[in-house]
C-alpha cells in the first residue's frame, strides 16, 4: 500500500505509516521543547549559555552520525564546515547591519547554504575515497581554515577574526529578558529542527539506502543503488547541519575567529560521536553534553596543582583534549557502543528484571 513502509525485521513485520512516525516525532519534539523552555527560566544565565552551546552541537553531531554511523564515511573536516557557516553569518550581518530579527534569519540561512554548497563540493571530490584516504582529505580541509583566513585577511579579518552586531531579544518577551535565554532558545530551536528532520530521514527509504551502502557497496550497486550519489547526498545533509551549528555558534559569541574552528574542533566532534554512540541519533545528545562538560572537567583536574604560566598555557590547549581522549578510552573499553549503547543495554536489563 502507498504510504506504508515495513520494519527492518523482515517481510512479515507489521507496516508502519510514515505519517504516524512524523507526527510522533513532532509530538515528542514539542513536549521536550516546552519542558526545556520552562527549564530555561529556572537556571542562571551561565547555565543558559551552556545549554545554548549544547544546542549548537546538537545541530552538528546528528548529521555527523548520519554520515559516519549510517553511511560509513569518516569526516575530520566538519570544523571547516562550521567555519563556513559562522563566517557567512558574520559577513551577512555586517552587510545588513544586524539591527532587525529578520537579518539574523537571513544570515543563518545563508550560512547553512554556504556550508551545504561547500559540503557538496567536498563530497563530490571525495566520492571515490574511502577509509583513511577520505579521513585524510577532510582533515586537510580542516587544517586549511587558518591559512584561508590569513591569506584573505581583508575579507575574513585574519587571526583576529570578525565581530558583528546582533539585535537583542524581541521586545514582546520583555525589556529585561536575558539575552542568554534568548540565545538558548535560538540554538535549541535549530537543534530541534535538525533532530526532527534527521530522525524522519533515517527511517525513510533514503535512510535504508544509506545503511545498505554502508554495509556493502557492491551489493548496493547490484541492487540498483547509485553509491556515489548516495554518499554525496549524505555529505550534503551532514554539511547543512554543520553549517547551521557554525552559524549559531557565531550567534553565541557574536564574533568569529579561525582559532575557534581549527583542527581541534573537528577532532572533538569525531570523538564526541564515538563517545556518545554511532548506533543512533541519541548518541548526539551524549556527545554534545560531553563537549560542553569537557572544559570544566579539565579545569577541575588542574585546580589542585600549581603550574608555571608557561606550563599552564600549554595545558589550556591540550588538557581538554587529553581528558576527552581518556573518557573515550574508558567508554570504548566498557561500552563499545558508546554511552547510548550502555544506556540502551541498562534499560533492556531493567525491563527484563521487571
Amino acid at each position: 500500500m502507498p504510504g506504508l513502509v515495513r520494519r527492518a525485521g523482515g517481510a512479515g513485520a507489521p507496516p508502519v505509516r510514515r505519517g504516524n512516525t512524523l507526527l510522533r516525532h513532532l509530538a515528542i519534539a514539542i513536549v521536550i521543547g516546552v519542558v526545556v523552555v520552562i527549564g530555561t527560566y529556572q537556571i542562571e544565565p551561565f547555565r543558559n549559555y551552556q545549554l545554548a552551546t549544547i544546542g549548537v552541537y546538537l545541530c552538528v553531531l546528528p548529521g555527523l552520525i548520519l554520515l559516519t554511523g549510517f553511511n560509513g564515511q569518516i569526516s575530520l573536516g566538519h570544523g571547516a564546515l562550521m567555519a563556513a557557516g559562522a563566517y557567512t553569518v558574520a559577513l551577512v550581518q555586517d552587510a545588513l547591519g544586524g539591527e532587525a530579527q529578520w537579518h539574523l534569519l537571513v544570515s543563518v540561512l545563508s550560512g547553512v547554504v554556504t556550508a551545504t554548497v561547500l559540503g557538496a563540493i567536498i563530497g563530490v571530490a571525495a566520492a571515490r575515497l574511502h577509509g583513511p584516504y577520505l579521513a585524510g582529505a577532510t582533515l586537510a580541509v580542516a587544517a586549511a581554515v587558518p591559512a584561508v583566513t590569513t591569506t584573505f585577511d581583508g575579507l575574513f579579518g585574519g587571526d583576529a577574526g570578525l565581530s558583528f552586531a546582533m539585535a537583542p531579544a524581541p521586545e514582546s518577551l520583555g525589556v529585561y529578558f536575558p539575552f542568554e535565554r534568548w540565545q538558548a532558545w535560538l540554538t535549541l530551536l535549530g537543534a530541534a529542527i535538525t533532530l526532527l528532520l534527521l530522525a524522519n530521514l533515517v527511517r525513510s527509504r533514503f535512510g535504508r539506502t544509506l545503511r545498505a551502502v554502508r554495509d556493502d557497496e557492491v551489493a548496493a550497486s547490484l541492487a540498483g543503488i547509485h553509491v556515489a550519489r548516495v554518499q554525496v547526498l549524505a555529505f550534503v545533509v551532514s554539511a547543512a547541519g554543520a553549517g547551521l551549528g557554525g552559524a549559531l555558534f557565531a550567534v553565541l559569541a557574536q564574533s568569529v575567529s579561525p582559532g575557534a574552528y581549527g583542527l581541534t574542533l573537528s577532532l572533538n566532534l569525531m570523538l564526541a560521536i564515538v563517545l556518545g554512540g554511532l548506533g543512533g541519533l541519541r548518541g548526539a545528545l551524549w556527545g554534545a553534553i560531553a563537549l560542553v562538560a569537557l572544559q570544566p572537567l579539565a579545569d577541575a583536574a588542574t585546580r589542585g596543582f600549581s603550574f608555571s604560566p608557561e606550563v599552564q598555557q600549554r595545558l589550556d590547549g591540550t588538557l581538554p583534549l587529553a581528558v576527552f581522549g581518556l573518557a573515550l578510552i574508558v567508554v570504548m573499553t566498557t561500552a563499545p557502543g558508546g554511552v547510548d549503547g550502555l544506556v540502551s543495554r541498562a534499560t533492556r536489563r531493567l525491563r527484563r528484571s521487571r
Side-chain angles (χ1 to χ4, degrees), residues 133-155:
Y133 302 103
L134 176 60
T138 54
L139 185 67
V141 175
V145 171
V148 171
T149 57
T150 302
T151 303
F152 302 97
D153 57 346
L155 179 63

Side-chain angles (χ1 to χ4, degrees), residues 45-56:
F46 176 70
R47 299 303 179 191
N48 270 319
Y49 181 83
Q50 287 185 314
L51 189 61
T53 309
I54 291 176
V56 168

Side-chain angles (χ1 to χ4, degrees), residues 3-348:
L4 297 179
V5 294
R6 295 194 176 273
R7 297 186 188 274
V16 181
R17 290 189 179 275
R18 291 174 182 165
N20 291 345
T21 301
L22 177 60
L23 291 177
R24 184 171 68 252
H25 289 163
L26 184 60
I28 294 173
I30 291 175
V31 171
I32 295 177
V34 171
V35 172
V36 170
V37 167
I38 294 175
T40 58
Y41 282 92
Q42 311 302 321
I43 56 179
E44 58 188 14
F46 176 70
R47 299 303 179 191
N48 270 319
Y49 181 83
Q50 287 185 314
L51 189 61
T53 309
I54 291 176
V56 168
Y57 290 129
L58 279 177
C59 295
V60 185
L61 297 180
L64 191 54
I65 289 178
L66 177 81
L67 181 68
T68 303
F70 287 86
N71 193 231
Q73 299 188 73
I74 300 175
S75 172
L76 299 177
H78 268 52
L81 297 173
M82 290 184 66
Y87 273 95
T88 301
V89 166
L91 293 172
V92 175
Q93 281 287 104
D94 186 60
L96 296 177
E99 299 175 354
Q101 295 296 339
W102 68 269
H103 292 172
L104 180 62
L105 178 62
V106 172
S107 301
V108 171
L109 291 178
S110 300
V112 174
V113 171
T114 302
T116 302
V117 173
L118 179 60
I121 295 173
I122 297 174
V124 171
R128 296 184 178 275
L129 300 177
H130 300 83
Y133 302 103
L134 176 60
T138 54
L139 185 67
V141 175
V145 171
V148 171
T149 57
T150 302
T151 303
F152 302 97
D153 57 346
L155 179 63
F156 298 117
D159 293 335
L162 302 171
S163 58
F164 57 90
M166 180 177 161
E171 295 181 358
S172 58
L173 296 176
V175 179
Y176 300 105
F177 191 84
F179 190 65
E180 292 83 1
R181 188 183 301 159
W182 172 239
Q183 290 177 316
W185 286 13
L186 288 176
T187 61
L188 292 173
L189 176 62
I193 294 174
T194 302
L195 287 169
L196 181 63
L197 293 177
L198 292 185
N200 287 278
L201 184 65
V202 298
R203 292 176 63 89
S204 67
R205 176 182 294 181
F206 181 69
R208 295 190 294 275
T209 302
L210 288 175
R211 290 187 286 271
V213 172
R214 175 201 64 189
D215 293 339
D216 194 328
E217 292 186 11
V218 176
S221 180
L222 292 175
I225 298 174
H226 196 300
V227 174
R229 182 185 303 166
V230 171
Q231 291 175 332
V232 171
L233 287 176
F235 216 106
V236 168
V237 172
S238 183
L244 178 60
L248 293 176
F249 203 22
V251 169
L252 287 186
Q254 299 183 54
S255 64
V256 291
S257 63
Y261 303 92
L263 183 58
T264 301
L265 176 60
S266 296
L267 295 177
N268 280 340
L269 293 175
M270 180 56 66
L271 288 173
I273 63 171
V274 176
L275 180 65
L278 292 169
L281 298 180
R282 292 187 303 269
L285 176 60
W286 302 110
I289 294 174
L291 284 174
V292 174
L294 172 65
Q295 190 62 50
L297 287 176
D299 293 340
T302 58
R303 193 173 298 139
F305 303 94
S306 58
F307 300 104
S308 64
E310 183 181 354
V311 174
Q312 186 64 44
Q313 184 178 6
R314 293 180 180 179
L315 288 177
D316 288 341
T318 59
L319 188 60
L321 192 59
V323 172
F324 209 176
L326 180 61
L328 181 64
I329 293 173
V330 172
V331 171
M332 289 296 97
T333 303
T334 58
V339 176
D340 183 55
L342 184 63
V343 172
S344 298
R345 281 192 298 173
T347 304
R348 287 196 297 268

